[in-house]
Structures are given as C-alpha cells and as structure tokens.
C-alpha cells in the first residue's frame, strides 16, 4: 500500500510518512505495515505536516544581494542652509564680531571697576582711585546694608518745596511735597516697579549725606556733584507734579528749591521690650537757586 493511501490508519513517524530517514530506495513505495524506526515511538494523535519531494529537492532561493534596494544617501553637510551668524555676509559677520568684542570689553571693564570699588584698599585703588570713583558714582554705587548685621531700622522720607515766580512777577512758596511717599504709592501693588521709583531718590540722598558734614557743608570734591544731582532730581519731580502745576496755574518758573528729610524710627514688635522714640526728626538743607537751564525741568 502507498503512503498516500494510508488514510487514518497510516502510521506516521516524527519526520513524515516515510519515517525519520524517508523511503529506503527511490521508486520503492513504503508499506503500510512497516514498523516504526527503533527507539522512536509513533505518535498517532498529532500528524506531522507533509513535505513533498519537490520542496525537498528545490529549497527556496535566497534573494540576490545585487537586486536589494540601497539605503538612501545622507545629504551633504555642505549643501545644508546656514543659520545664525554664518548665514550673514562677510561684511555683516565682521560687524557682528566687532560689536560682540566691544560689549565684551565694556563688560569686563565694568566688572573690574566694580571689583576694585568693593575690594579693600590696594595698590591699584591708591593709584587709580579717582578713575574708579568716576566710573562707579553715582549710577553704579554699591551698598551692602541689606547684609549688614544691624540693618537699617528707620524710615526716611525726602521732601521738597519750591519758590516759583508766576507770570506777573510775583513769588509763590509751595508747601512740602513728600517725594518718597509718591514713590511708595507707585511701587505699592506694582509687580515690576522701575529702578527709578525704587532707588533714584534714595540713592541721591545717601550720596549727599556721604559727601557732606552735619552742617550741610560739602566734604571733598564730590560735594558739589551730589548737590547738583539731588537738585536736578527734585526739580524734575516738581515739574511733573500736578499739584505744583495747579498751584501756579501751569505757568510758573521754579527759582529756588529746599530739600529736607523726615526720619522716624521703625517701631519695635509688640513682644519686644525695646523702647524707641517714634517722633520724627527733620534735617533741612539751605535754599538752592535753580539755574536757568534747569528751571522748568529743562535738563533731562
């Protein structure tokens, strides 16, 4: 009987209908009653898939490497579009390089001047101290009171009044205007207050105190500079003040100004036993005449 006619009664080995080694000779059909190979039990419950003679003689051909698709070539880096400074022409690249060099030199010079200003006295500051001070004061002056062991415990308000000549030739003296209070109202509730509102007036007053004695007499060469700096600030503030405009009818000219400070101690907390006086102390400066070019806020 042929292996193809075995049906359900045909005995199959583990490798196919002919057993583990296939047929004994070409052209000789295997008998249905042939015993299974020794040592290999017959599995009648799980038939093995049949592999025909054509598949054994002709295995599937491997793909030809010559016909496989080539991977896409990577783009040439030189052909990519340039970005940033490299995309500019040579002339603009030179201009940008010079601008960056100037900024770097100025930044290094500023850091060096600031370091010399806050550093202890040394040979450089003794030889070039005036140049360092001219660079730092008054815009870049350093103040470390925030980190002092005993921070400032006083409220200082800068106030000013003015003598104004009206259009008819008469003179009018205004009341005291609290410029520090105006700055405080501008800062209160403002998430991004300006540097002018926070520090301009306060630093100008500190600059004046550092260059004058208790009798308001200038000490050193920077005394007159601090006076003119403070005077210009208060004149500009008065020129922009709506109350001054209303008092003079908008046509007055400022002839003289007088500045004073109001200092009051910060009251201690309730649980503290410290006793301080809360009575304010005033320091009035003499009347300063306002030059013609500064009158009416002419100097900016």
């Amino acid at each position: 009987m042929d292996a193809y006619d075995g049906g359900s009664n045909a005995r199959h080995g583990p490798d196919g209908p002919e057993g583990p080694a296939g047929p004994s000779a070409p052209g000789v059909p295997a008998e249905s009653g042939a015993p299974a190979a020794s040592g290999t039990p017959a599995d009648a419950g799980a038939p093995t898939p049949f592999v025909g003679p054509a598949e054994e003689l002709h295995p599937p051909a491997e793909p030809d490497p010559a016909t496989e698709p080539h991977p896409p070539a990577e783009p040439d880096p030189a052909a990519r579009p340039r970005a940033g400074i490299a995309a500019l022409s040579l002339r603009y690249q030179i201009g940008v390089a010079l601008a960056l060099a100037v900024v770097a030199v100025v930044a290094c010079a500023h850091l060096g001047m600031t370091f010399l200003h806050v550093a202890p006295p040394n040979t450089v500051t003794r030889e070039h101290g005036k140049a360092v001070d001219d660079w730092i004061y008054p815009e870049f002056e350093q103040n470390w009171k925030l980190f002092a062991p005993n921070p400032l415990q006083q409220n200082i308000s800068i106030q000013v009044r003015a003598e104004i000549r009206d259009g008819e030739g008469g003179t009018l003296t205004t009341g005291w205007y609290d410029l520090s209070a105006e700055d405080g109202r501008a800062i209160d509730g403002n998430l991004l207050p300006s540097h002018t509102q926070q520090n301009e007036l306060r630093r100008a007053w500190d600059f004046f105190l550092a260059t004058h004695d208790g009798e308001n007499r200038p000490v050193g060469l920077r005394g007159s500079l601090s006076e003119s700096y403070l005077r210009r600030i208060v004149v500009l503030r008065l020129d922009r003040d709506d109350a001054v405009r209303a008092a003079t009818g908008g046509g007055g000219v400022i002839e003289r100004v007088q500045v004073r400070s109001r200092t009051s101690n910060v009251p201690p907390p309730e649980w503290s036993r410290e006793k301080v006086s809360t009575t304010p102390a005033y320091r009035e400066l003499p009347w300063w005449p306002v030059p013609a070019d500064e009158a009416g806020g002419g100097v900016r």
Side-chain angles (χ1 to χ4, degrees), residues 5-290:
D5 299 332
S8 61
N9 296 324
R11 301 178 64 186
H12 305 285
D15 295 331
E18 292 83 6
S24 59
V28 179
E31 297 182 358
S32 61
S38 60
T40 305
D43 188 1
T48 304
F50 173 72
V51 180
E55 296 180 2
E56 293 179 354
L57 298 178
H58 303 284
E62 296 182 358
D64 187 4
T67 61
E68 291 185 356
H70 295 284
E74 296 183 357
D76 187 7
R80 296 177 180 175
R82 296 181 297 177
I85 299 179
L88 302 176
S89 62
L90 179 59
R91 182 177 62 180
Y92 287 103
Q93 288 182 7
I94 295 175
V96 171
L98 291 177
L100 293 177
V102 171
V103 171
V105 170
V106 173
C108 292
H110 178 70
L111 292 177
M113 291 293 189
T114 305
F115 172 78
L116 292 175
H117 176 69
V118 300
N122 52 71
T123 304
V124 178
T125 55
R126 282 192 292 268
E127 293 291 334
H128 307 284
K130 185 178 185 305
V132 174
D133 291 341
D134 292 341
W135 180 277
I136 294 297
Y137 292 106
E139 288 82 4
F140 305 116
E141 184 181 359
Q142 306 297 309
N143 190 322
W144 304 103
K145 288 183 179 180
L146 177 63
F147 306 101
N150 186 20
L152 189 64
Q153 299 180 1
Q154 295 176 328
N155 289 324
I156 302 176
S157 299
I158 308 303
Q159 302 174 352
V160 61
R161 65 178 178 176
E163 283 187 0
I164 301 177
R165 185 180 70 252
D166 55 21
E168 300 178 356
T171 302
L172 173 66
T173 302
T174 66
W176 291 100
Y177 295 97
D178 195 335
L179 303 182
S180 298
E182 294 180 359
D183 288 345
R185 287 190 295 268
I187 295 172
D188 189 18
N190 189 352
L191 296 179
L192 298 173
S194 68
H195 179 75
T196 301
Q197 295 168 341
Q198 297 180 83
N199 299 318
E200 181 186 53
L201 185 62
R202 179 178 60 85
R203 298 303 300 130
W205 180 252
D206 290 344
F207 183 28
F208 178 86
L209 294 181
T211 56
H212 287 73
D213 59 14
E215 301 296 329
N216 300 322
R217 292 173 299 192
V219 177
L221 300 177
R222 294 187 297 154
S224 58
L225 175 63
S226 64
E227 290 182 7
S228 60
Y229 183 56
L230 181 60
R231 185 185 65 245
R232 290 185 180 186
I233 290 177
V234 298
V235 169
L236 289 174
R237 296 286 185 93
L238 290 173
D239 184 64
R240 295 193 299 259
D241 199 304
D242 294 336
V244 177
R245 292 177 178 272
T248 60
V253 177
I254 300 176
E255 290 189 335
R256 295 197 307 169
V257 293
Q258 185 181 23
V259 180
R260 75 175 182 181
S261 65
R262 181 183 184 274
T263 304
S264 59
N265 294 320
V266 177
E270 297 179 356
W271 48 264
S272 176
R273 297 181 179 180
E274 183 181 2
K275 302 296 183 181
V276 296
S277 174
T278 57
T279 304
Y282 294 91
R283 177 175 179 175
E284 291 189 1
L285 306 184
W287 284 93
W288 289 336
V290 179

